[in-house]
Amino acid sequence: MAWDFTKDRPIYTQIAEQIKNQIFVGKRNLGDRLPPVRDLAIEAGVNPNTMQRALAQLEQEEIIYAERTNGRFITEDKTMLDKQKKETARLQMNDFLEKMAAIGYDRKATLQLLTTLTKDGE
Amino acid sequence: MDSILQCQNLTKHYGSTCGLNDLTLDIPRGRIIGLLGPNGSGKTTFIKLCTGLLVPTSGTLTIGGHPIGTETKKIVSYLPEHTYINNWMRVKEMLEFFSDFYKDFNVDKARDMLQNLQIGLDDKLKNMSKGTKEKVQLILVMSREADLYLLDEPIGGVDPAARDYIIKTILTNYQEKASIILSTHLISEIESILDEAILIKQGNLILHDSVDEIREKKGVSLDALFREEFKC
Amino acid sequence: MLIHLFKYEIKSIFRQLLPFYAALILFALLEKVFYMLQMPTIMSFTALFHILIIAAVMVFTLVVITRRFYSNFFSNEGYLTFTLPVKTWELITSKLIAALLFAFTGMLLTFATVFFLFVTINPDILSGIQFPFSTITPDDMLNLTTHFAAFIYGTLMYDATAILIIYASVSIGHLSREHSIFCAFAAFFGLFIFGQIFSFVLGANYYVTSLLLCGIFFIITNYILSHRLNLA
């Protein structure tokens, strides 16, 4: 029922991330109107106040904006979103490279392995 | 009023045993709060003091600005650990009962929830399974538009699907003027719906903080913190 | 709120006593049937059962009243009862009045069915009971009314004292977790003896002392329920 959350970080930051990812992947489209806080909270299985904090963070990052009477909308700024997507990808990559280093693969080795794997795959 | 519940130096002794020791709390409206602690830590004692089922030995306790009494009972909706509706009535008579005594009882909401669970209004309570009775009781309690909900172990001993239903019901009924205090020892299940956590150990307050703060300051989840505090 | 409490008392107790009332009426009717069919032996057996039912009504009225008090307050149902937005004295009073009502009903039905039996056997009784309007004086009326009122008041007081001593005893029994039944019986005897001594020492007539005793037993019950409640 609820979304998955890890135990080490505040839930609201994880919610914000998951919503961002949904936008990146296309589950939510640019310019879409977001459901009301309460409905989102129930969907995610979290406290409405927590969801509120997550949305506030997304507002601060300008991923979403609020129109006083109409509700919250996802930005239409494709360029900015692409930049964010790239930044998120970069962070994920760094994470991955650190993990590989932890098992003894330096960057060169990792790149070699990656090339092999992707050649065999798609 | 921003606070829904305030207590100062609240203490309860049972003969020589101390159930609750010098508890001071301020609980704002619009929060979902977990009252956490092992069995016998004082959670149920605190809840019973709030509902008027026990009287304090010393200290003060007010809900909505009133001392515990008829006025607080009007605005507090209580779900005890054990079912209390084990009697000869049918479901619809139970609805009538709640409507008679509680002005804030929303009978349409109750009917909707019962229908969603396919519980008939003519069903007799004494013929129901334990799980169904518990659900009926939960529906009755959550259909009241109260200022404070006190749920004592609402998800203990309940199957995972029912647990999800209960959590969803709690979230759906959330209102800004009301707060919900959930007492439980199954923390990982409900951590994501809590605003704040109150940890009690042997009648004493260990911690009262927001769940986000706990994760940020201590870098651990509530569940992990609980295990740490109460390890045997 | 008192009205609502009263309504549910009536509902609960009536369900339990209805079989007995129905049996009472049934046997009275059967007696008439057998008498008209001129079957004296069967009729006397029916009359015997009639007497047994009368005894059963008296005993079970007391049993049902006591059981209702106990289960509504001290079983799991207590979690519902004591969180209702009503005062403790309202809870006790609604039970007391309902109990008195059923005590009177039992008595009335007993008299009615016995009178019915007598009339069946000797219809002349009806003609014999002519209200002597011509010879009665206003003084006589006053006299009659006073005696009747005294009779009603006396019966009321007698029943109320009996009911309240049971309520107080059961409440005192609740104070002991382990030996509640023993304590209840001990309290009953204790209060009974206290009642006797009290009446003797006071020396006033029954109408006054019974009223005072009712007050004392009520206060004891009210205190225990308001300040010493400790549900499992």
Side-chain angles (χ1 to χ4, degrees), chain C residues 25-103:
Chain C
I25 295 173
L26 178 71
F27 277 98
L29 292 172
L30 282 178
E31 281 160 3
K32 183 163 184 88
V33 166
F34 290 138
Y35 183 77
M36 296 213 299
L37 293 177
Q38 290 172 337
M39 300 160 88
T41 17
I42 298 185
M43 192 199 160
S44 26
F45 268 113
T46 316
L48 183 67
F49 273 111
H50 187 173
I51 294 172
L52 289 175
I53 301 280
I54 290 175
V57 165
M58 294 208 273
V59 170
F60 274 92
T61 303
L62 217 60
V63 168
V64 166
I65 288 172
T66 308
R67 216 164 45 185
R68 169 73 187 168
F69 183 85
Y70 177 80
S71 68
N72 191 243
F73 282 169
F74 301 122
S75 72
N76 273 353
E77 242 183 281
Y79 280 87
L80 179 58
T81 310
F82 286 107
T83 49
L84 292 172
V86 295
K87 299 224 169 22
T88 312
W89 69 262
E90 289 176 297
L91 290 169
I92 304 171
T93 308
S94 60
K95 285 183 161 43
L96 176 66
I97 297 179
L100 286 171
L101 186 76
F102 284 102

Side-chain angles (χ1 to χ4, degrees), chain B residues 48 51 53-55 70 73-74 78 80 82-84 87-89 93-94 96-98 100-102, chain C residues 1 4-5 7-8 11-12 15 76-77 79-80 82-87 226-227 229-232:
Chain B
K48 281 186 178 174
T51 54
L53 290 172
L54 284 176
V55 283
T70 324
K73 288 174 185 176
K74 285 182 189 164
Y78 171 48
H82 308 292
T83 47
Y84 52 39
N87 57 28
W88 45 272
M89 290 199 204
E93 289 173 302
M94 227 33 231
E96 191 187 337
F97 184 88
F98 266 69
D100 281 343
F101 285 102
Y102 296 110
Chain C
M1 279 305 169
H4 290 135
L5 289 171
K7 165 175 141 187
Y8 288 99
K11 276 189 165 187
S12 171
R15 283 182 75 258
N76 273 353
E77 242 183 281
Y79 280 87
L80 179 58
F82 286 107
T83 49
L84 292 172
V86 295
K87 299 224 169 22
S226 316
H227 293 91
L229 190 68
N230 192 5
L231 297 176

Side-chain angles (χ1 to χ4, degrees), chain B residues 31-36 43-44 46-48 50-51 76-82 84 134 137-144 146 148-156 165-171 173 179-185 190 193-194:
Chain B
R31 302 289 164 87
I32 302 180
I33 298 173
L35 184 60
L36 314 170
K43 306 188 304 255
T44 305
F46 176 69
I47 291 181
K48 281 186 178 174
C50 294
T51 54
V76 173
S77 191
Y78 171 48
L79 182 70
E81 206 176 337
H82 308 292
Y84 52 39
E134 283 172 356
Q137 204 164 280
L138 175 77
I139 288 172
L140 289 169
V141 170
M142 296 310 288
S143 297
R144 278 191 56 202
L148 180 65
Y149 297 86
L150 298 168
L151 313 179
D152 200 345
E153 302 281 357
I155 59 174
Y165 177 78
I166 292 169
I167 290 172
K168 185 159 167 238
T169 308
I170 292 172
L171 286 178
N173 283 289
S179 283
I180 303 174
I181 298 181
L182 273 166
S183 126
T184 185
H185 52 271
I190 51 127
I193 69 167
L194 298 178

